[in-house]
C-alpha cells in the first residue's frame, strides 16, 4: 500500500510531470500515453460483455484502454482514464498525493464557466428522427444479468428554465431504443429540478455529456451534501483546470454543455411517466432489480467527427475513485472545522471509497480524537467506520493504520458507537427502515502521553540506503 502510493510520485521516470491541467479528454489521453498509462486494443471487441470484461481485468493494475475496433461500430471506446490517483494527478497537473488538496482548493475558489458560439462537440449534429443512440454509439452491456446496454459515464446537465440554476450529476441510463432511455434519479438536486418541472406538467430539458477529462468527471461526482443546489459543479472543473470551462448551447434546448466534450445527447425527462428499468449491477457488485424509473427522450445528438465513447464499469477502481475521491477533501474540510489538527483523510478503496475513512490527526486538545470521529460521521452520511490515527501514521498505509489499532486501541475505552442513523441502500446489513450503526475506532495515543515508549524505532541510514549498492553482482 505504501509503495503503491509513494510509487505515484512526480519522480517517476518518463517525461517531466506536467504542472498544468489537461483541457480535454484528448489531451488527457495524450498524457496517459506519454507516461505509459494507456494502451490501444486493435482486435475486434464486442460491446456486449467483451469490452467490459477486458476493462474489468485491466482495472486491476493494468493501463487505461482505447478500443479501436468495436464490433458493429465506427467509434472508439476508452475506459480506465481515471482509474488511479496517478492518472488523475497527471491530468490535473499535480502530484498524486496532492489531488485531494487541489480538489479542496477548487471547492473553495470555483471559476465559473464561459459560453462560446461553437466547439468541437458540434462537428456532427443530428436532430429529431436522425437520432439513434443505439446504432450510433457503442453503448456497452456490462454484467451477465444487466437489462441491456447502459450509459454509465453520462454526465447529466440540467438548467432550471426559471432560475437558470445549473446542476451536473451522474445518472445511469438504460438505452431501450433509438431515442428511448431510462434514467435513474435519486432524491438529490436533479430530482428536485425534475419534480419542479413535473409539477408544472413540463418535461425537464437536460443533456447527457460523454467523453470528458478528469476535472469535469470529478466535479460531476461532487456530492450534493457539500455544495448546495445552485452551486455550479462546472465551476469546480474550471478551478481544477485553472481556467473556465468553455460551454456551448444545445441545439434543441437552452441547456449548455462543455464545448470540448466528445458526445452530447440532448433530450428531456418526461413529466409523469415512469417505465421499467433494470436489472443493473451496482457499485457494490450486486444487482438492482427491475423498477419503475424516469424516462428520457433524446431530441438531438452532437459529437466530434471521430468521437471517442467513454465507458465505465461499475465496481472498478475508476468508478469508485470518481464517485469517492471527492469525499476525501469534503470530509477533511468538514472535520477540520471541528478539529483543526486534522492532517489527512483517506476514504479507502476496500470500503468502496465511501463507507470507511481513516483520519490522521495532530492532537491539540484532550478529546480531539473522539470529536474527529463524531465530525466524520456528520460530514458524510455514508460513512460507517472511522479510524483515527496520530499524525505520524500514514493513513494511506493500511498496515501502518492496523499497527496503530493493534497497539493503541482498547475497545472498552476507545470504541465509539452511534446507532440508528440513515444508511446507504447498497449496504445489505441495514435494518428495517434503512438504518445503520456507525463505528469509530480511536487508535491515537492517549493525549499528552509523550513517553519514550511511543518513539518509532529507526535504524540510522535505513531510509536513504540504495539496496542495489549492496547487492551488486
Ligand atoms: Mn448539484
Amino acid at each position: 500500500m505504501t509503495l503503491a502510493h509513494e510509487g505515484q510520485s512526480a519522480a517517476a521516470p518518463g517525461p517531466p510531470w506536467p504542472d498544468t491541467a489537461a483541457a480535454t479528454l484528448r489531451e488527457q489521453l495524450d498524457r496517459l500515453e506519454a507516461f505509459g498509462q494507456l494502451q490501444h486494443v486493435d482486435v475486434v471487441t464486442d460491446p456486449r460483455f467483451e469490452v467490459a470484461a477486458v476493462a474489468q481485468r485491466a482495472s486491476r493494475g493494468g493501463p487505461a484502454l482505447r478500443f479501436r475496433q468495436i464490433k458493429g461500430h465506427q467509434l472508439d471506446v476508452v475506459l480506465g482514464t481515471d482509474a488511479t490517483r496517478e492518472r488523475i494527478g497527471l491530468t490535473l497537473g499535480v502530484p498524486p498525493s496532492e489531488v485531494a488538496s487541489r480538489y479542496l482548493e477548487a471547492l473553495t475558489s470555483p471559476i465559473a464557466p464561459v459560453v462560446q458560439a461553437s466547439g468541437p462537440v458540434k462537428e456532427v449534429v443530428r436532430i429529431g428522427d436522425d437520432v439513434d443512440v443505439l446504432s450510433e454509439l457503442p453503448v456497452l452491456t456490462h454484467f451477465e444479468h444487466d437489462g441491456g446496454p447502459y450509459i454509465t459515464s453520462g454526465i447529466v446537465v440540467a438548467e432550471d428554465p426559471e432560475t437558470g440554476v445549473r446542476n451536473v450529476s451522474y445518472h445511469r441510463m438504460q438505452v431501450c431504443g433509438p431515442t428511448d432511455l431510462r434514467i435513474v434519479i435519486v432524491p438529490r438536486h436533479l430530482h428536485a429540478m425534475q419534480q419542479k418541472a413535473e409539477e408544472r406538467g413540463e418535461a425537464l430539458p437536460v443533456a447527457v455529456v460523454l467523453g470528458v477529462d478528469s476535472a469535469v468527471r470529478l466535479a460531476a461526482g461532487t456530492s450534493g451534501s457539500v455544495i448546495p443546489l445552485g452551486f455550479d459543479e462546472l465551476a469546480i472543473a474550471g478551478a481544477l483546470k485553472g481556467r473556465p470551462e468553455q460551454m456551448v448551447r444545445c441545439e434543441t434546448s437552452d441547456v449548455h454543455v462543455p464545448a470540448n466534450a466528445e458526445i452530447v445527447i440532448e433530450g428531456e425527462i418526461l413529466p409523469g411517466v415512469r417505465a421499467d428499468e433494470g436489472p443493473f449491477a451496482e457499485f457494490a457488485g450486486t444487482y438492482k432489480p427491475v423498477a419503475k424509473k424516469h424516462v428520457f427522450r433524446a431530441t438531438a445528438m452532437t459529437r466530434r467527427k471521430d468521437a471517442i465513447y467513454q465507458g465505465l464499469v461499475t465496481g472498478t477502481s475508476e468508478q469508485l475513485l470518481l464517485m469517492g475521491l471527492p469525499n476525501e477533501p469534503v470530509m477533511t474540510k468538514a472535520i477540520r472545522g471541528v478539529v483543526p489538527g486534522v492532517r489527512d483523510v483517506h476514504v479507502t478503496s476496500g470500503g468502496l471509497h465511501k463507507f470507511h475513512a481513516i483520519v490522521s490527526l495532530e492532537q491539540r486538545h484532550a478529546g480531539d480524537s473522539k470529536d474527529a470521529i463524531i465530525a466524520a460521521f456528520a460530514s458524510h452520511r455514508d460513512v460507517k467506520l472511522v479510524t483515527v490515527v496520530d499524525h505520524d501514521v500514514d493513513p494511506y498505509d493500511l498496515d501502518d493504520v492496523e499497527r496503530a489499532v493493534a497497539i493503541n486501541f482498547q475497545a472498552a475505552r476507545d470504541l465509539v458507537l452511534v446507532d440508528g442513523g440513515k444508511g446507504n441502500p447498497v449496504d445489505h446489513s441495514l435494518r428495517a427502515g434503512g438504518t445503520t450503526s456507525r463505528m469509530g475506532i480511536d487508535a491515537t495515543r492517549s493525549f499528552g502521553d509523550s513517553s519514550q515508549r511511543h518513539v518509532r524505532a529507526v535504524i540510522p541510514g535505513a531510509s536513504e540506503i540504495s539496496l542495489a549498492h549492496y547487492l551488486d553482482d
Side-chain angles (χ1 to χ4, degrees):
M1 191 74 193
T2 311
L3 281 176
H5 189 62
E6 288 174 353
Q8 298 163 352
S9 76
W17 199 266
D19 58 5
T20 56
T24 65
L25 175 63
R26 286 176 189 230
E27 276 187 38
Q28 177 171 7
L29 296 178
D30 288 345
R31 280 190 193 183
L32 296 182
E33 204 162 0
F35 280 77
Q37 295 282 320
L38 171 73
Q39 282 181 24
H40 289 188
V41 177
D42 290 313
V43 297
V44 176
T45 316
D46 198 320
R48 181 175 155 84
F49 302 137
E50 193 178 9
V51 171
V54 178
Q56 190 187 52
R57 284 289 288 275
S59 77
R60 299 193 282 265
L65 298 173
R66 179 168 177 170
F67 293 86
R68 311 214 58 146
Q69 305 280 345
I70 300 293
K71 188 175 157 190
H73 289 274
Q74 297 297 313
L75 305 185
D76 288 4
V77 174
V78 68
L79 296 105
T81 51
D82 298 290
T84 65
R85 276 171 210 266
E86 184 177 19
R87 288 175 208 162
I88 294 172
L90 193 53
T91 307
L92 298 182
V94 297
S97 58
E98 288 172 26
V99 167
S101 54
R102 183 83 189 79
Y103 188 85
L104 186 54
E105 282 169 31
L107 269 183
T108 49
S109 43
I111 297 177
V114 293
V115 177
Q116 61 186 41
S118 191
V121 76
K122 301 288 192 183
E123 285 171 3
V124 174
V125 176
R126 306 207 194 284
I127 312 262
D129 290 343
D130 289 337
V131 179
D132 186 342
V133 175
L134 265 184
S135 69
E136 190 155 350
L137 302 183
V139 183
L140 307 178
T141 302
H142 304 86
F143 288 85
E144 185 182 10
H145 300 301
D146 279 0
Y150 266 86
I151 294 173
T152 46
S153 67
I155 291 169
V156 176
V157 183
E159 288 177 24
D160 189 305
E162 285 180 346
T163 63
V165 160
R166 173 156 51 219
N167 193 67
V168 180
S169 48
Y170 287 98
H171 303 271
R172 72 169 185 265
M173 299 180 78
Q174 184 175 10
V175 186
C176 299
T179 60
D180 176 23
L181 290 82
R182 303 293 134 75
I183 178 169
V184 176
I185 312 173
V186 296
R188 293 187 194 140
H189 293 164
L190 181 64
H191 190 262
M193 295 172 81
Q194 193 276 331
Q195 265 194 327
K196 198 174 148 195
E198 194 164 65
E199 278 162 18
R200 292 193 302 263
E202 292 171 13
L204 180 72
V206 298
V208 184
V209 180
L210 289 153
V212 289
D213 52 89
S214 306
V216 177
R217 295 186 100 188
L218 282 173
T222 306
S223 164
S225 60
V226 286
I227 49 168
L229 179 56
F231 188 123
D232 186 352
E233 284 86 357
L234 288 171
I236 300 171
L240 285 169
K241 295 187 196 184
R243 54 181 175 265
E245 188 68 25
Q246 296 163 307
M247 309 288 284
V248 287
R249 187 187 170 277
C250 283
E251 300 298 310
T252 57
S253 75
D254 289 324
V255 175
H256 295 80
V257 291
N260 291 301
E262 294 291 324
I263 299 161
V264 167
I265 305 167
E266 301 179 13
E268 51 191 15
I269 302 170
L270 304 180
V273 183
R274 305 290 186 271
D276 280 351
E277 182 271 343
F280 180 76
E282 257 291 6
F283 70 91
T286 50
Y287 291 96
K288 284 274 177 202
V290 175
K292 299 286 183 201
K293 301 292 179 184
H294 291 81
V295 175
F296 170 96
R297 191 174 62 84
T299 53
M301 185 192 302
T302 68
R303 63 172 173 87
R304 292 174 182 251
K305 254 188 226 119
D306 56 346
I308 303 165
Y309 181 87
Q310 196 166 28
L312 186 69
V313 180
T314 56
T316 58
S317 58
E318 177 167 42
Q319 193 235 349
L320 298 174
L321 251 190
L322 283 172
M323 306 301 145
L325 199 142
N327 291 335
E328 287 185 357
V330 160
M331 288 183 64
T332 304
K333 189 180 176 200
I335 303 168
R336 209 173 262 160
V338 179
V339 183
V342 167
R343 283 277 181 88
D344 218 346
V345 176
H346 177 205
V347 182
T348 63
S349 57
L352 301 173
H353 283 288
K354 208 181 244 298
F355 296 108
H356 298 168
I358 298 162
V359 178
S360 75
L361 174 71
E362 188 188 339
Q363 297 188 74
R364 294 178 184 169
H365 309 281
D368 275 359
S369 53
K370 295 289 190 299
D371 286 343
I373 289 170
I374 301 302
F377 289 162
S379 69
H380 202 299
R381 293 182 91 175
D382 285 336
V383 172
K384 199 177 164 190
L385 168 63
V386 176
T387 306
V388 183
V389 294
D390 287 301
H391 60 90
D392 56 355
V393 176
D394 178 358
Y396 291 91
D397 180 345
L398 298 183
D399 281 346
D400 209 25
V401 172
E402 192 173 354
R403 175 187 178 277
V405 174
I407 64 173
N408 292 330
F409 172 73
Q410 276 295 312
R413 179 190 65 199
D414 300 318
L415 181 73
V416 176
L417 194 67
V418 176
D419 187 40
K422 180 183 172 295
N424 183 305
V426 308
D427 178 352
H428 296 180
S429 69
L430 298 188
R431 288 191 305 269
T435 62
T436 192
S437 291
R438 298 194 169 87
M439 177 166 75
I441 292 176
D442 180 357
T444 59
R445 297 184 286 272
S446 302
F447 179 71
D449 181 353
S450 57
S451 66
Q452 194 66 16
R453 67 196 178 98
H454 293 301
V455 175
R456 289 291 277 265
V458 169
I459 300 178
S463 59
E464 293 88 44
I465 275 170
S466 160
L467 209 49
H469 175 73
Y470 295 88
L471 300 179
D472 222 22
D473 48 2

